[in-house]
Amino acid sequence: MRFTISSIEMTNYRQYQGKQTLDFSFDKNKNVSIILGQNGAGKSNLLNALTWCFYGKEIHNDQQAKGTDGMPIINVAELDALEPGRSTFAEVVVSICTNTGQWLIKRHIDVLKDDLGKLHFDQPQLTVIYPFDGQDKIVEGDETQRLINNLLPEALRQFFFIDGEQLREFFRISNPTEIAKAIDNVSQLELVYKAAENLEAYENQLRKNVKATTPQLQKVQQKIQILKGKNEKAKESLQKNKEELEKDISELAQVEDYLRKHNDAVVSKLQEEREQSEKDIKSLNRHLKDAELERNGYLVDTAPYILLKDEIESAYSLIQQKVEKGDLPPRIRETFVRELIDSGRCICGNEIKENEKHNLESYSRKLELSELSEVCFGGNVTLGEILSDIKEFPSKIDQLNRKIEEFKDEYDEKKRRLDYISETLKKHNIEEIRAYEERRKKLTNGINKNENLIKMLEAEITTINKDLDEALSEERKELSKDKKNAQLRAKLQLVQEALKTLAGTEYIIKSKIRKQVERTTKENFLKLIRKKEAFKDIVIEDTFDVKVIHSQGYNAINDLSAGEYMIFGLSFMSALMTISGFHAPVIIDTPLGKIDDEHREQITTELPKFLQGTQLILLVTPTEYDDTVRKNLQEYLLEENFFKIVENESKTISKVISHGH
Amino acid sequence: MVTKHFNEPRELAYGAIHAELFQEETSWINRDSSTIFAGKTQRDLLIFAMALGRLKGHKSDVKDRQSNIPVSNMPEKQKWAILSIALAEHNDLMCLKDENPHYREAERYANEGLKILRSHIDKWGVDYPRYLEAELRDILKTSTKTLE
């Protein structure tokens, strides 16, 4: 269902005391709305108001207003002014315009101050009013959340209600799990997952019902249960380790960010050098692996000939001797010689004499060998080449080993330099830097440990699955021995085949969606990016690792600027939005923060066109909303869709002023 | 150089007991394998094993044949590695008139060679390339076959 927001009404919500209303007009071509506010004034809480109203969750945290965690949802001034024994409330009401008519979504929370001044918060209540059979239907209770999810499933909200800061970071820190999750969300495979879950439960039930008629059957069924349990545990551990790994990677990026941007020039320089060295080490590792692969490949190619050196030399000499003796003449047709002997006359017309006839007879015996002339001459050349390859072996292998050693030396040098940087920062006279460096080391160790654990767990799961397949096949065999189990065996087989089909279906759908996201992200990215000729491809691997392929062929995902990350993030989110099939407003908090002028220009001129027909609400700071941005957005902005958030002097209460453009 | 061969078989085979080394995702020839054969082809592995089996003088019949290695696109050098064993055995070029038995013989050497190779790789692990290189240098130096 397509919808746009016609108004947001907040009462006593967070820093907004009293009722604040934002009425939006929508025009397909003038699709942009601006909400302008200083950092900490309440922009992110406006986004929170929406997610709280829709899903009962506040997920957006302004860097400057981290204190919202401790701030009650109901306005503090309102609570302070509340007299004992009286109650008040907070609520957010969002009116939306759908193709079936106007909807109203309201989340409301009451609070009572008792005589001792203690606050008692009620459970928030959600109410949805929507047109049904020409009348407004009011729904409260359990059904309401289902109605909201029909409009925009919670799993998809992050593609529409976007935090600019998080979006920029989304691809800067490699997080395949998050990317996989995002793609999984738009794949809408809930039905497949539910079916698999039910089938697995049914399979376990069937297995419990079977009477073990042979000791072997009992044994194999126990084995299946054990393996399934092990598989579950290994999968859980794998998931946990992956999550930990991504958390550590994300925190490491923050720690490194702190060091890189530190006021102490030496610290920031060392951190920059370290980051460059780490990139170099990665690249050296790749070169080293390639060089080893080349050396090993050469060894595998050449070793058989050296191992067979005696045979090859003797074969070569055997052919060579025959050639030298003239036993390998060029091919002559045997029939031609036979005709000469039979007719007794040469082609010149003269009669063939007895001694000549004798020579021809002996020559015809050699003809059998002459049939092999071609293969022997070919062999002679090939064996000669092999012998020459063997001769080159010592010098060629030395050359390949030298290349490996050079890479290793360079690698060791870089590693030593990294140790030096780490030691220098650990001994720095500023305590905070020492602490950050210590934390960095812990995180790096944790990342290495988790990466190894993940590899081990993946290998373990592969082995368990193989054993499980064997055990299931043995179970089928055992069940077939007793006719009583025939029906059960057929049922089990059907369930197992259905599970395999479901797994296959899931894989196919996910692969298709992944490819579709990859294609659409690439189209979007190349449309939005300024340096169009600098990038040639976007790849989402089946491991969900994302690559931005530079025109020179390398993966540039770690080298993008803040603006390019933002554009990449927007391209990806936009691809997911399109593929999800849901048409909701796009609300972006701080879309232009930390972005260079050129990309600001690019985003503000291209994004409204790119999202034409979609309501686009931008929550911006005055720094973001500079003259150029204002000028660029003017043609997409209706005057009444411009709002300002203003704070009181003590910056504790905010209100929204409309039509201030 | 493309040469016409006489009665060359269509495929080379390995025994089912060795199939995991050739076919599975975790095979030796898989690009991510940690063995020296990473990224190589099935026929490279088979020819290598054949040469090792021949060097050790060990061969055995291939059971439960997995005929997965086409001979038609095999490089001439590898074909002549097989044929040179036959020529060394028969010392007669006439043996080239029927190549089929030589390929079967190559499979028999490979069947044992793969067992030797498993033990070498188990023993040397990631150092196997170094060990192999040293042994090959030794062969070239002494021109006698000394692989253990």
Side-chain angles (χ1 to χ4, degrees):
Chain A
M1 194 186 296
R2 181 182 284 274
F3 77 93
T4 54
I5 294 175
S6 10
S7 77
I8 303 171
E9 199 180 281
M10 302 176 289
T11 308
N12 296 331
Y13 176 78
R14 298 287 186 196
Q15 61 261 72
Y16 298 98
Q17 192 178 15
K19 191 191 274 187
Q20 306 292 323
T21 309
L22 294 91
D23 288 316
F24 298 92
S25 301
F26 182 67
D27 180 317
K28 222 167 43 172
N29 297 316
K30 289 187 177 268
N31 55 336
V32 175
S33 301
I34 295 287
I35 300 170
L36 182 70
Q38 295 282 0
N39 278 329
K43 290 191 306 306
S44 298
N45 274 337
L46 226 153
L47 205 53
N48 277 332
L50 278 174
T51 52
W52 184 67
C53 178
F54 277 54
Y55 309 107
K57 287 173 189 161
E58 296 176 293
I59 25 103
H60 304 279
N61 241 338
D62 193 323
Q63 288 291 325
Q64 263 70 35
K66 281 229 158 105
T68 47
D69 282 350
M71 186 200 288
I73 207 156
I74 300 177
N75 183 266
V76 181
E78 181 71 18
L79 291 175
D80 285 347
L82 193 64
E83 285 178 18
R86 305 293 298 265
S87 65
T88 187
F89 70 96
E91 79 179 12
V92 176
V93 183
V94 181
S95 296
I96 60 168
C97 188
T98 73
N99 38 10
T100 59
Q102 199 75 17
W103 285 44
L104 193 135
I105 300 155
K106 180 173 87 175
R107 198 172 287 269
H108 177 101
I109 184 169
D110 283 314
V111 62
L112 170 79
K113 192 183 257 184
D114 65 20
D115 293 340
L116 300 168
K118 202 175 166 201
L119 296 166
H120 300 273
F121 291 90
D122 276 358
Q123 276 300 312
Q125 297 299 321
L126 177 67
T127 309
V128 177
I129 303 172
Y130 70 103
F132 188 76
D133 272 354
Q135 293 204 342
D136 282 344
K137 187 173 179 184
I138 303 169
V139 186
E140 284 174 332
D142 293 344
E143 206 197 331
T144 46
Q145 206 55 62
R146 189 185 55 76
L147 283 168
I148 303 285
N149 274 316
N150 283 345
L151 274 177
L152 182 64
E154 194 190 341
L156 301 182
R157 58 152 170 74
Q158 57 168 323
F159 311 135
F160 296 87
F161 303 162
I162 299 167
D163 183 324
E165 182 76 24
Q166 282 173 8
L167 189 59
R168 271 189 301 280
E169 295 295 302
F170 195 74
F171 287 101
R172 199 173 75 78
I173 304 156
S174 163
N175 54 356
T177 310
E178 282 297 311
I179 292 160
K181 212 179 346 168
I183 292 178
D184 194 45
N185 284 341
V186 294
S187 303
Q188 295 175 50
L189 283 163
E190 289 81 8
L191 205 63
V192 176
Y193 297 148
K194 275 252 150 50
E197 214 175 279
N198 289 337
L199 279 170
E200 269 167 21
Y202 184 54
E203 188 192 5
N204 288 338
Q205 192 58 44
L206 282 175
R207 194 162 282 115
K208 269 184 202 161
N209 291 342
V210 74
K211 277 183 192 160
T213 45
T214 66
Q216 188 57 25
L217 181 59
Q218 194 177 8
K219 212 170 130 189
V220 79
Q221 288 193 324
Q222 277 169 357
K223 194 176 169 187
I224 290 171
Q225 288 311 323
I226 292 169
L227 286 169
K228 283 195 164 185
K230 272 189 183 175
N231 201 7
E232 277 305 306
K233 266 191 183 165
K235 276 184 181 167
E236 272 171 29
S237 302
L238 182 66
Q239 186 59 28
K240 205 177 122 220
N241 282 308
K242 279 186 173 174
E243 280 165 13
E244 263 176 32
L245 176 70
E246 278 169 15
K247 216 174 109 212
D248 284 353
I249 289 174
S250 164
E251 195 186 336
L252 180 66
Q254 285 169 14
V255 169
E256 294 191 330
D257 227 33
Y258 166 85
L259 294 169
R260 197 186 323 107
K261 290 173 183 163
H262 201 275
N263 295 335
D264 185 331
V266 177
V267 172
S268 69
K269 215 173 158 193
L270 283 174
Q271 179 55 31
E272 272 174 25
E273 187 193 337
R274 172 153 66 188
E275 283 173 24
Q276 187 53 49
S277 294
E278 278 171 345
K279 274 185 193 168
D280 292 345
I281 280 178
K282 269 189 194 161
S283 149
L284 278 169
N285 254 333
R286 269 199 308 275
H287 290 316
L288 189 61
K289 207 177 163 197
D290 287 347
E292 280 175 346
L293 212 62
E294 192 186 353
R295 190 264 319 268
N296 292 350
Y298 175 70
L299 271 175
V300 172
D301 287 343
T302 318
Y305 310 122
I306 299 178
L307 299 174
L308 294 172
K309 188 169 171 277
D310 290 351
E311 286 80 354
I312 287 165
E313 277 174 346
S314 90
Y316 182 70
S317 112
L318 185 64
I319 298 174
Q320 199 65 14
Q321 278 168 23
K322 295 281 178 195
V323 173
E324 280 165 13
K325 272 193 192 169
D327 286 350
L328 280 176
R331 287 184 69 199
I332 296 172
R333 274 178 208 234
E334 195 183 355
T335 46
F336 172 70
V337 179
R338 186 53 47 208
E339 272 170 21
L340 281 180
I341 296 168
D342 290 349
S343 69
R345 202 164 281 281
C346 176
I347 49 168
C348 64
N350 290 334
E351 198 178 327
I352 295 173
K353 292 175 189 156
E354 205 46 44
N355 64 328
E356 287 167 341
K357 204 173 173 181
H358 180 73
N359 282 345
L360 278 173
E361 291 278 4
S362 88
Y363 190 68
S364 82
R365 280 193 293 277
K366 283 188 187 173
L367 284 178
E368 213 179 357
L369 189 58
S370 83
E371 272 185 73
L372 294 169
S373 289
E374 191 186 319
V375 71
C376 287
F377 282 125
N380 203 27
V381 172
T382 308
L383 290 169
E385 283 171 4
I386 292 176
L387 288 169
S388 137
D389 290 346
I390 292 176
K391 248 188 223 165
E392 278 179 13
F393 175 78
S395 65
K396 184 87 195 276
I397 198 81
D398 282 345
Q399 189 191 330
L400 292 169
N401 282 334
R402 251 196 319 275
K403 201 165 146 191
I404 293 172
E405 288 311 314
E406 277 166 18
F407 284 132
K408 276 187 179 163
D409 288 347
E410 213 180 321
Y411 177 90
D412 290 343
E413 173 80 38
K414 295 266 176 203
K415 275 273 182 201
R416 277 196 294 276
R417 185 68 193 157
L418 284 183
D419 289 344
Y420 166 79
I421 293 172
S422 190
E423 282 308 307
T424 311
L425 292 176
K426 257 191 245 167
K427 288 175 193 157
H428 199 277
N429 50 13
I430 300 174
E431 195 192 332
E432 205 180 6
I433 289 175
R434 292 202 298 274
Y436 266 84
E437 185 56 26
E438 197 52 50
R439 183 72 192 137
R440 189 192 171 278
K441 197 184 170 196
K442 274 192 185 146
L443 287 168
T444 316
N445 289 343
I447 288 169
N448 289 339
K449 193 180 133 200
N450 267 323
E451 279 175 344
N452 289 334
L453 276 172
I454 286 169
K455 272 186 205 157
M456 276 164 58
L457 282 166
E458 281 172 343
E460 192 186 325
I461 290 170
T462 310
T463 314
I464 293 173
N465 281 336
K466 207 174 148 194
D467 292 348
L468 193 58
D469 274 349
E470 278 171 19
L472 288 170
S473 134
E474 205 183 329
E475 182 193 46
R476 279 195 293 275
K477 214 169 97 188
E478 284 301 316
L479 282 171
S480 69
K481 286 181 184 169
D482 192 334
K483 279 184 185 166
K484 274 188 272 177
N485 287 325
Q487 203 184 3
L488 193 65
R489 184 168 62 97
K491 277 185 186 174
L492 264 176
Q493 194 163 350
L494 183 68
V495 170
Q496 282 158 11
E497 276 166 17
L499 277 167
K500 272 189 188 161
T501 309
L502 279 175
T505 310
E506 183 189 332
Y507 180 75
I508 291 167
I509 294 174
K510 276 191 181 167
S511 299
K512 276 190 176 172
I513 301 271
R514 178 171 56 80
K515 282 279 156 204
Q516 216 176 331
V517 172
E518 180 186 87
R519 202 172 45 245
T520 317
T521 304
K522 181 185 167 184
E523 282 167 14
N524 296 347
F525 185 66
L526 294 180
K527 218 180 276 176
L528 283 175
I529 198 79
R530 189 178 55 83
K531 295 187 282 180
K532 294 188 196 310
E533 61 295 335
F535 305 100
K536 66 172 181 186
D537 208 359
I538 304 286
V539 179
I540 304 176
E541 305 273 12
D542 50 10
T543 52
F544 295 97
D545 278 306
V546 175
K547 290 179 177 168
V548 178
I549 308 297
H550 193 269
S551 54
Q552 285 168 341
Y554 64 87
N555 178 16
I557 189 78
N558 294 322
D559 306 316
L560 301 181
S561 69
E564 286 165 343
Y565 276 123
M566 184 68 187
I567 285 176
F568 191 44
L570 282 170
S571 307
F572 180 70
M573 290 296 165
S574 177
L576 293 170
M577 271 159 54
T578 314
I579 289 160
S580 76
F582 285 88
H583 300 279
V586 175
I587 304 153
I588 314 178
D589 183 17
T590 337
L592 305 169
K594 293 181 192 166
I595 290 180
D596 57 88
D597 291 346
E598 277 174 306
H599 282 103
R600 276 184 184 205
E601 170 88 28
Q602 191 73 9
I603 289 173
T604 48
T605 49
E606 295 299 324
L607 195 63
K609 273 191 271 175
F610 184 67
L611 291 175
Q612 196 188 19
T614 301
Q615 187 180 24
L616 175 62
I617 303 174
L618 302 176
L619 299 151
V620 292
T621 62
T623 327
E624 286 179 280
Y625 199 60
D626 61 14
D627 288 345
T628 321
V629 171
R630 185 177 298 134
K631 206 176 121 216
N632 288 341
L633 291 177
Q634 197 131 34
E635 65 172 296
Y636 306 104
L637 179 68
L638 286 174
E639 197 181 330
E640 59 267 34
N641 285 347
F642 182 86
F643 305 89
K644 238 183 199 173
I645 301 172
V646 288
E647 294 168 284
N648 65 354
E649 265 184 40
S650 57
K651 301 195 183 302
T652 50
I653 295 171
S654 298
K655 59 181 182 176
V656 183
I657 300 173
S658 308
H659 308 210
H661 194 48
Chain B
M1 181 169 184
V2 181
T3 313
K4 181 196 162 195
H5 289 274
F6 291 86
N7 197 24
E8 189 180 76
R10 283 178 61 185
E11 284 112 8
L12 264 174
Y14 44 82
I17 51 159
H18 298 305
E20 55 169 347
L21 306 181
F22 291 84
Q23 296 167 353
E24 301 277 320
E25 255 183 53
T26 49
S27 75
W28 283 353
I29 57 175
N30 187 296
R31 207 176 156 80
D32 295 326
S33 142
S34 59
T35 72
I36 192 171
F37 299 100
K40 302 303 285 183
T41 61
Q42 292 197 4
R43 62 163 194 258
D44 294 333
L45 174 55
L46 194 102
I47 293 293
F48 189 101
M50 170 203 76
L52 198 55
R54 166 72 185 177
L55 184 87
K56 285 279 287 173
H58 286 197
K59 59 181 174 179
S60 60
D61 287 341
V62 178
K63 284 179 189 150
D64 200 357
R65 293 165 56 79
Q66 314 285 302
S67 303
N68 289 334
I69 305 172
V71 171
S72 59
N73 59 353
M74 192 178 246
E76 278 298 305
K77 284 182 182 174
Q78 290 183 337
K79 287 181 180 178
W80 277 96
I82 294 171
L83 297 177
S84 66
I85 296 177
L87 286 171
E89 286 278 309
H90 296 88
N91 199 28
D92 182 1
L93 293 181
M94 292 305 287
C95 74
L96 298 177
K97 286 202 83 172
D98 181 9
E99 294 183 3
N100 200 312
H102 313 323
Y103 280 80
R104 300 287 87 91
E105 189 74 345
E107 289 168 358
R108 282 194 278 274
Y109 278 123
N111 202 36
E112 282 301 302
L114 285 164
K115 292 177 192 166
I116 301 166
L117 201 47
R118 276 180 201 265
S119 71
H120 282 182
I121 287 182
D122 282 348
K123 183 175 173 187
W124 295 97
V126 289
D127 289 328
Y128 182 65
R130 284 284 175 202
Y131 157 77
L132 178 65
E133 184 191 325
E135 290 300 321
L136 295 178
R137 282 184 194 276
D138 221 30
I139 290 176
L140 290 178
K141 221 182 275 171
T142 60
S143 229
T144 51
K145 303 163 189 176
T146 54
L147 277 184
E148 67 183 49

